[in-house]
């Protein structure tokens, strides 16, 4: 089993060595560091990444040196990846950076739609039901655009809206089918993400109905624990192993690694 989605101190996780040790202790065969990155030149994203210290666009070479150093002492495979914020307006900047950086594989995430951060509940408190439904429409349009862009190997937590109470449960079968068709036509593989599987409330991305529809469309899936701390890796990896076994799912690796 390989975990293709963890974070380090190069975004909002813990030390490379701690995460690799935890993955080794958990019996994993590989771990992929996919730290957050945003390369948009728009003002809001620039302010956000400065405030939160998400500067992998400037530090990826230093992290790569760190990964190479840790690889020399590790008994498992270690991948040099990225979790890139996706907005259709930023495709040119994203493509240029990814061509330059040459990561082992690339995860794409829709964390924001327009000027709204998907995981910022206060932004949605005063919106009407019609406005919230329209936002969910826009979210899935962005997810489809992510798949259509062919910039990414993996689409992380493809129904991230479920993490926000005001948006939870508003996705429809039509939304899921729209996204499933896009993934079926793309090289981008959606991720089964355990980042909220063991919390309260506990749920897995994608939603069970969404996952069933992805399987109906014969879309392959990959996996990631989305761990930020060492003690999360083992528990989430065990959960994913049971989750996959119960559903008879055989996950795949990122297409770039497989190719």
């Amino acid at each position: 089993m390989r975990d293709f989605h963890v974070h380090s101190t190069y975004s909002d996780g813990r030390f490379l060595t701690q995460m690799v040790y935890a993955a080794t202790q958990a019996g994993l065969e590989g771990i992929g560091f996919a730290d957050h990155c945003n390369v948009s030149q728009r003002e809001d994203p620039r302010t956000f990444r400065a405030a939160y210290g998400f500067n992998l666009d400037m530090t990826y070479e230093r992290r790569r040196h760190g990964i190479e150093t840790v690889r020399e002492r590790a008994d498992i495979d270690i991948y040099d990846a990225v979790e890139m914020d996706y907005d259709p307006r930023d495709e040119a900047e994203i493509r240029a950076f990814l061509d330059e950086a040459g990561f082992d594989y690339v995860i794409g995430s829709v964390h924001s739609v327009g000027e709204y951060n998907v995981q910022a509940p206060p932004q949605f408190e005063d919106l009407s039901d019609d406005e919230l439904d329209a936002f969910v429409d826009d979210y899935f349009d962005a997810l489809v655009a992510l798949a259509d862009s062919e910039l990414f190997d993996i689409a992380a937590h493809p129904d991230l809206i479920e993490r926000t109470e005001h948006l939870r449960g508003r996705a429809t079968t039509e939304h899921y089918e729209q996204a499933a068709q896009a993934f079926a036509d793309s090289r981008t593989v959606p991720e089964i993400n355990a980042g909220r599987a063991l919390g309260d409330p506990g749920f897995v991305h994608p939603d069970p109905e969404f996952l069933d529809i992805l399987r109906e469309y014969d879309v392959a899936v990959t996996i990631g624990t989305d761990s930020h701390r060492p003690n999360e890796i083992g528990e989430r990896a065990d959960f994913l192993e049971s989750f996959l076994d119960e559903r008879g799912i055989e996950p795949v690796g990122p297409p770039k690694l497989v190719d």
Side-chain angles (χ1 to χ4, degrees):
M1 186 172 182
R2 295 168 190 268
D3 182 359
F4 295 108
H5 186 168
V6 303
H7 297 273
S8 77
T9 47
Y10 284 87
S11 60
D12 54 351
R14 295 295 184 266
F15 293 122
L16 295 168
T17 51
Q18 293 176 335
M19 301 298 280
V20 170
Y21 179 77
T24 304
Q25 292 297 105
L28 298 182
E29 295 180 0
I31 183 174
F33 287 100
D35 284 300
H36 293 287
C37 186
N38 187 304
V39 294
S40 174
Q41 295 305 304
R42 291 176 290 111
E43 183 60 31
D44 284 351
R46 290 176 61 191
T47 300
F48 178 87
R49 67 177 180 253
Y52 284 85
F54 289 178
N55 298 309
L56 193 69
D57 57 318
M58 296 187 291
T59 61
Y60 72 92
E61 290 178 315
R62 178 175 295 180
R63 193 193 67 167
R64 182 164 296 157
H65 178 66
I67 287 174
E68 290 170 353
T69 300
V70 176
R71 275 175 178 156
E72 294 174 0
R73 305 192 301 269
D75 296 323
I76 64 174
D77 293 330
I78 306 173
Y79 303 111
D80 172 24
V82 61
E83 181 179 0
M84 175 65 68
D85 286 345
Y86 174 77
D87 185 300
R89 295 172 290 181
D90 303 324
E91 280 195 14
E93 291 95 334
I94 294 171
R95 190 179 304 278
F97 173 70
L98 295 179
D99 287 346
E100 169 194 308
F103 293 105
D104 291 336
Y105 60 87
V106 180
I107 297 177
S109 296
V110 178
H111 286 116
S112 296
V113 179
E115 308 313 316
Y116 287 84
N117 185 318
V118 176
Q119 299 181 91
Q123 292 185 305
F124 301 99
E125 289 176 350
D126 298 326
L127 298 187
S128 68
D129 283 340
D130 286 346
E131 289 171 323
L132 292 169
D133 288 340
F135 180 85
V136 173
D137 288 342
D138 291 342
Y139 173 85
F140 277 93
D141 285 345
L143 186 63
V144 168
L146 182 155
D148 289 347
S149 75
E150 299 291 4
L151 288 166
F152 307 102
D153 297 284
I154 295 172
H157 35 61
D159 54 353
L160 189 64
I161 53 173
E162 296 300 318
R163 294 189 184 182
T164 300
E165 184 177 358
H166 303 83
L167 304 173
R168 191 174 303 145
R170 292 183 178 272
T172 65
T173 299
E174 289 73 21
H175 287 130
Y176 296 151
E177 290 176 341
Q178 175 191 13
Q181 185 61 65
F183 286 124
D185 294 337
S186 172
R187 74 179 185 89
T188 306
V189 178
E191 169 198 63
I192 296 178
N193 181 292
R196 293 293 186 276
L198 303 177
D200 183 20
F203 52 84
V204 181
H205 301 290
D207 173 89
E209 182 186 357
F210 193 3
L211 180 58
D212 287 344
I213 290 173
L214 288 169
R215 299 182 75 185
E216 288 174 14
Y217 278 72
D218 199 27
V219 174
V221 293
T222 189
I223 57 172
T225 67
D226 203 353
S227 296
H228 294 68
R229 297 169 180 81
N231 63 352
E232 296 170 343
I233 294 176
E235 291 182 341
R236 294 180 184 181
D238 288 344
F239 171 86
L240 282 172
E241 187 170 22
S242 297
F243 183 90
L244 296 170
D245 285 346
E246 289 171 6
R247 289 157 182 80
I249 297 174
E250 188 70 32
V252 301
K256 189 179 290 185
L257 291 184
V258 175
D259 294 344

